[in-house]
Amino acid sequence: MEFKKEDILEELHSIFLNKTFDALLPPLIYAVSNSIFGLQTAVILAVTTALINFSRRIIKKENWKYSLAGLIGVIFASSFAYLSNNASNYFIPALTSSTLFLLASVITVLIGKPLAAWASHLSRGWPLEWFWRQDVKPAYREVTILWAVYFALRLTIQLRLFFSEAVLNLAWVNILLGWPAIIVVLTISYIYGIWRLNDLGGPGVDEFKEGKEPPWDGQKKGF
């Protein structure tokens, strides 16, 4: 099956909308400044960076909701590190996130309602009944297993660095295994998912909603 680069880029753009920069900069500044100036300065600079990102989007009238969530997250993580006087604790929210996504991936596969299907349903509004068809669901189950492997790998590396208190290395790992790795995982998920849906031979979501009878063209765009 032929995949258009424009379709993949459109999918990724619809998900991220320039979120990557806002997410990567504060933890990197935190880790670098902590190694040079100490914890208190690192906390101040990380929060200031997140605040500047948020203010910049407000001034430019861009989508500011993600930046606000990022600002709140940085304040929470920085406060946790400062109050415990442990620089590594800044990354506890990231560890928690990896753990929750891993558990969600595994549990939803085990109960037969894969996380990838829920994510697609919530972002696209497609009917849940379509996702649970036996000629559709295996594609979302297999993609969710891929997600579980990714989150398990990320959590394992994060925990090793966290307990060794390697703050700068942990920051770099969170960056590289954060949005950059997620982009790769979602690209693979999209390409594999579309191919798998067509391999399964089920209806595309529009064909399902219109009640068309087989033979179906299948899902050509969007996963």
Side-chain angles (χ1 to χ4, degrees):
M1 182 179 178
E2 182 179 355
F3 295 97
K4 295 181 179 179
K5 181 177 70 173
E6 293 78 9
D7 291 343
I8 297 174
L9 291 176
E10 181 182 337
E11 290 294 316
L12 293 175
H13 184 263
S14 68
I15 295 170
F16 295 108
L17 292 174
N18 298 321
K19 297 173 182 177
T20 306
F21 179 79
D22 292 350
L24 298 187
L25 197 55
L28 180 57
I29 288 179
Y30 171 84
V32 173
S33 56
N34 175 71
S35 63
I36 299 174
F37 305 112
L39 178 58
Q40 183 172 349
T41 301
V43 165
I44 294 172
L45 291 177
V47 173
T48 301
T49 302
L51 182 59
I52 290 173
N53 285 338
F54 174 66
S55 302
R56 177 174 56 86
R57 295 208 179 274
I58 291 290
I59 293 171
K60 291 186 175 182
K61 296 182 179 179
E62 297 175 347
N63 189 330
W64 51 266
K65 294 180 180 179
Y66 185 83
S67 289
L68 176 59
L71 174 60
I72 294 172
V74 170
I75 291 174
F76 176 76
S78 298
S79 300
F80 203 72
Y82 182 75
L83 292 175
S84 63
N85 196 32
N86 186 334
S88 297
N89 286 349
Y90 178 93
F91 298 98
I92 284 181
L95 294 171
T96 303
S97 174
S98 295
T99 302
L100 291 177
F101 276 113
L102 174 59
L103 289 175
S105 298
V106 172
I107 291 172
T108 56
V109 166
L110 291 176
I111 66 175
K113 306 291 183 183
L115 179 62
W118 286 107
S120 184
H121 167 68
L122 292 173
S123 63
R124 300 179 185 276
W126 293 344
L128 274 173
E129 294 80 7
W130 178 76
F131 291 101
W132 308 146
R133 290 178 58 96
Q134 293 308 307
D135 50 11
V136 171
K137 185 168 69 173
Y140 288 91
R141 179 178 64 241
E142 290 156 19
V143 165
T144 302
I145 292 172
L146 169 65
W147 292 5
V149 171
Y150 158 69
F151 286 117
L153 175 64
R154 189 171 86 171
L155 180 61
T156 300
I157 297 173
Q158 287 174 322
L159 285 173
R160 289 190 65 179
L161 293 173
F162 176 80
F163 287 117
S164 64
E165 297 187 358
V167 177
L168 188 56
N169 290 338
L170 185 53
W172 278 114
V173 163
N174 278 332
I175 289 171
L176 296 175
L177 294 183
W179 291 117
I182 289 173
I183 289 173
V184 173
V185 170
L186 290 182
T187 300
I188 295 172
S189 299
Y190 181 81
I191 294 173
Y192 177 82
I194 292 293
W195 172 83
R196 188 69 169 107
L197 286 175
N198 283 271
D199 181 63
L200 289 166
V205 66
D206 290 332
E207 293 174 314
F208 173 79
K209 289 191 287 188
E210 293 167 8
K212 288 186 176 181
E213 297 294 328
W216 296 298
D217 291 332
Q219 188 71 4
K220 302 300 182 186
K221 184 177 180 180
F223 177 73

